[in-house]
């Protein structure tokens, strides 16, 4: 299913490169909520997040001819959103009025819903990270983390040494850490 989504994104980006406003609108509708949620998590202000989303998509439209079809569109727009948000925060640090709007008013606009959106994204990402593990490593990881089994219990149940369990868990955790680093724009 992820491949179908990537394929659909590539088709839309290809059409966008050729100036299709319909493709632009489709991409905007597809990613608006994700970019808004990410922006609000960084900026802590509904108004600033909304403006950030508009700026992201304005840049996409302005630079549509330069879009790379081989690059993940989602990663591309999340990178723009992050950079735009950091620019806004840097400006806020130097502008007293903006500083108050972003840093102090943000406490009023930060809602539980924003947290639950990020939490849901993290859960999805964790599932993807586990899914990409080799079958035996995935089984050992699930036995340890989901069932709460000790390494000794796992080794006995699977008929393998404790060192093998330890090594597989170490590799699983390292693999997941790398997966999260590659996908850190989502978190």
């Amino acid at each position: 299913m992820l491949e179908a989504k990537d394929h659909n994104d590539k088709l839309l980006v290809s059409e966008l490169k050729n100036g299709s406003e319909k493709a632009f609108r489709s991409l905007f509708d597809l990613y608006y909520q994700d970019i808004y949620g990410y922006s609000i998590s960084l900026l802590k202000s509904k108004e600033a997040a909304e403006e950030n989303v508009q700026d992201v998509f304005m840049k996409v439209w302005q630079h549509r001819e330069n879009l790379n079809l081989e690059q993940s569109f989602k990663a591309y727009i999340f990178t723009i959103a992050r950079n735009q948000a950091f620019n806004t925060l840097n400006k806020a640090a130097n502008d007293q009025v903006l500083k108050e709007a972003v840093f102090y008013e943000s406490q009023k606009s930060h809602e539980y819903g924003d947290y639950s959106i990020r939490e849901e994204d993290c859960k999805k990402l964790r599932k993807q990270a586990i899914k990409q593990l080799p079958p035996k490593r995935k089984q050992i990881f699930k036995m340890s983390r989901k069932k709460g089994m000790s390494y000794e219990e796992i080794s006995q149940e699977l008929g393998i040494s404790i060192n093998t369990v330890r090594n597989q868990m170490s590799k699983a955790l390292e693999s997941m850490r790398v997966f999260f680093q590659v996908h850190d724009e989502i978190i």
Side-chain angles (χ1 to χ4, degrees):
M1 180 164 158
L2 199 58
E3 288 178 19
K5 186 176 182 333
D6 287 343
H7 181 70
N8 185 42
D9 279 5
K10 283 186 180 183
L11 286 174
L12 289 171
V13 171
S14 177
E15 291 175 21
L16 174 59
K17 279 185 74 143
N18 294 324
S20 169
E21 291 180 23
K22 186 176 178 184
F24 177 77
R25 184 63 199 199
S26 295
L27 287 165
F28 179 86
D29 291 342
L30 196 61
Y31 287 107
Y32 173 85
Q33 282 298 344
D34 291 340
I35 297 298
Y36 178 77
Y38 182 62
S39 297
I40 207 164
S41 74
L42 295 172
L43 298 168
K44 311 292 190 235
S45 161
K46 289 179 181 180
E47 293 79 16
E50 182 64 42
E51 191 172 317
N52 199 48
V53 172
Q54 296 301 324
D55 289 345
V56 166
F57 282 98
M58 184 174 68
K59 280 193 180 218
V60 168
W61 179 256
Q62 289 172 337
H63 301 288
R64 64 189 177 277
E65 298 88 11
N66 301 326
L67 291 171
N68 182 348
L69 295 175
E70 299 307 312
Q71 182 184 20
S72 163
F73 182 74
K74 185 173 185 176
Y76 175 69
I77 59 175
F78 269 87
T79 300
I80 294 172
R82 182 189 62 213
N83 292 342
Q84 289 288 119
F86 288 167
N87 288 343
T88 299
L89 292 171
N90 283 336
K91 286 179 192 171
N94 297 321
D95 180 330
Q96 190 60 38
V97 174
L98 192 56
K99 187 187 295 185
E100 288 176 15
V102 172
F103 293 109
Y104 301 113
E105 295 297 319
S106 69
Q107 299 306 314
K108 296 177 187 172
S109 67
H110 187 66
E111 297 175 359
Y112 177 77
D114 302 330
Y115 172 77
S116 64
I117 290 169
R118 287 192 311 274
E119 184 179 32
E120 194 60 37
D121 286 342
C122 289
K123 284 180 183 176
K124 286 179 190 173
L125 203 59
R126 185 170 188 261
K127 283 182 182 179
Q128 287 178 332
I130 293 170
K131 190 176 183 180
Q132 57 93 33
L133 294 173
K136 198 69 165 177
R137 197 171 292 162
K138 185 189 314 181
Q139 180 185 18
I140 292 169
F141 180 84
K142 286 182 175 181
M143 291 171 84
S144 173
R145 294 300 196 258
K146 296 209 182 220
K147 293 183 179 177
M149 295 173 71
S150 70
Y151 288 1
E152 187 176 332
E153 292 170 329
I154 295 169
S155 77
Q156 288 173 356
E157 187 168 317
L158 297 179
I160 57 177
S161 74
I162 292 178
N163 277 343
T164 301
V165 173
R166 200 173 280 124
N167 288 339
Q168 289 299 311
M169 278 299 294
S170 177
K171 288 177 182 176
L173 294 170
E174 175 63 18
S175 175
M176 291 177 70
R177 185 185 64 76
V178 169
F179 183 88
F180 290 138
Q181 283 178 335
V182 168
H183 295 86
D184 77 333
E185 76 278 352
I186 298 172
I187 303 173

